């Protein structure tokens, strides 16, 4: 069960309506159901517990020597002590001083993954909703990025638009 963020602990909420309002911002049905969801049921699970093609651990980029999105994202973090280039186990869950940059990188890595695998765009466009059981509000989430990509490339008048890749991504 995922807890409320420190600034919204239950003792400070006061009533169920405030808790429900907080959860609704992130499509969380209850404390026991802390899953990031976008769209409507049925949801395609975008993690290692669902369709692995949409898991940051399984999504590997040919343009980056076959490294996974998770490996690249975690290695890009720079920590207060100057450490960077760490493996995903050492970096995951740690707050970096360059979070804005690595979040942008995370989004671009997913754009690149779909560009390298254009068949995945058709899979995304066929979905009514995406979810990530490991997703946490306020953190990088593959379901969120994939939903953004899906909606950016929605068919226009029944014709799917190509995935644009412009200039250097990194």
């Amino acid at each position: 069960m995922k807890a409320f963020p420190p600034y919204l602990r239950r003792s400070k909420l006061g009533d169920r309506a405030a808790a429900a309002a907080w959860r609704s911002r992130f499509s969380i049905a209850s404390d026991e159901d802390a899953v990031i969801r976008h769209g409507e049921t049925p949801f395609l699970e975008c993690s290692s517990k669902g369709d692995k093609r949409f898991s940051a651990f399984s999504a590997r980029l040919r343009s980056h020597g076959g490294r996974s999105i998770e490996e690249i994202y975690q290695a890009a973090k720079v920590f207060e002590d100057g450490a960077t280039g760490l493996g995903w186990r050492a970096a995951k869950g740690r707050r970096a001083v360059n979070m804005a940059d690595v979040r942008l990188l995370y989004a671009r890595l997913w754009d690149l993954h779909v560009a390298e695998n254009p068949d995945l765009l058709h899979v995304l466009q066929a979905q009514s909703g995406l979810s990530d059981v490991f997703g946490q509000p306020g953190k990088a989430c593959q379901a969120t990025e994939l939903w953004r990509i899906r909606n950016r490339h929605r068919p226009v008048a029944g014709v799917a638009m190509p995935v644009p890749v412009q200039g250097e991504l990194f």
Side-chain angles (χ1 to χ4, degrees), residues 2-164:
K2 294 184 182 177
F4 287 103
Y7 59 89
L8 284 177
R9 295 275 186 235
R10 279 186 188 270
S11 60
K12 293 180 182 178
L13 286 173
D15 65 6
R16 290 187 173 275
W22 178 82
R23 286 190 304 266
S24 70
R25 289 181 50 217
F26 303 104
S27 300
I28 298 172
S30 70
D31 291 348
E32 292 77 30
D33 190 26
V35 174
I36 300 294
R37 291 189 180 119
H38 299 281
E40 301 173 354
T41 59
F43 296 99
L44 174 68
E45 176 56 32
C46 300
S47 74
S48 57
K49 295 285 185 189
D51 191 329
K52 289 182 177 38
R53 295 175 296 179
F54 301 115
S55 163
F57 284 102
S58 298
R60 298 197 171 270
L61 300 173
R62 290 184 296 278
S63 59
H64 284 72
R67 292 174 64 204
S68 74
I69 289 176
E70 189 72 21
E71 291 168 333
I72 299 164
Y73 168 68
Q74 297 296 346
K77 289 181 177 178
V78 177
F79 300 101
E80 284 187 24
D81 63 359
T84 190
L86 302 178
W88 72 265
R89 284 185 180 92
K92 192 164 182 74
R94 292 179 58 190
R95 185 110 180 116
V97 296
N98 64 334
M99 283 310 293
D101 293 333
V102 293
R103 287 291 292 274
L104 180 59
L105 171 65
Y106 190 76
R108 289 182 174 172
L109 291 171
W110 279 110
D111 290 333
L112 185 57
H113 179 60
V114 172
E116 287 185 4
N117 302 281
D119 57 307
L120 296 179
L121 183 57
H122 302 294
V123 174
L124 292 172
Q125 289 175 327
Q127 304 307 312
S128 61
L130 302 178
S131 65
D132 180 0
V133 296
F134 301 111
Q136 297 177 11
K139 298 200 175 182
C141 175
Q142 53 237 11
T144 301
E145 294 304 329
L146 292 165
W147 189 250
R148 174 188 57 80
I149 293 167
R150 174 199 178 270
N151 289 335
R152 188 178 72 204
H153 299 290
R154 300 218 45 191
V156 176
V159 178
M161 299 284 94
V163 178

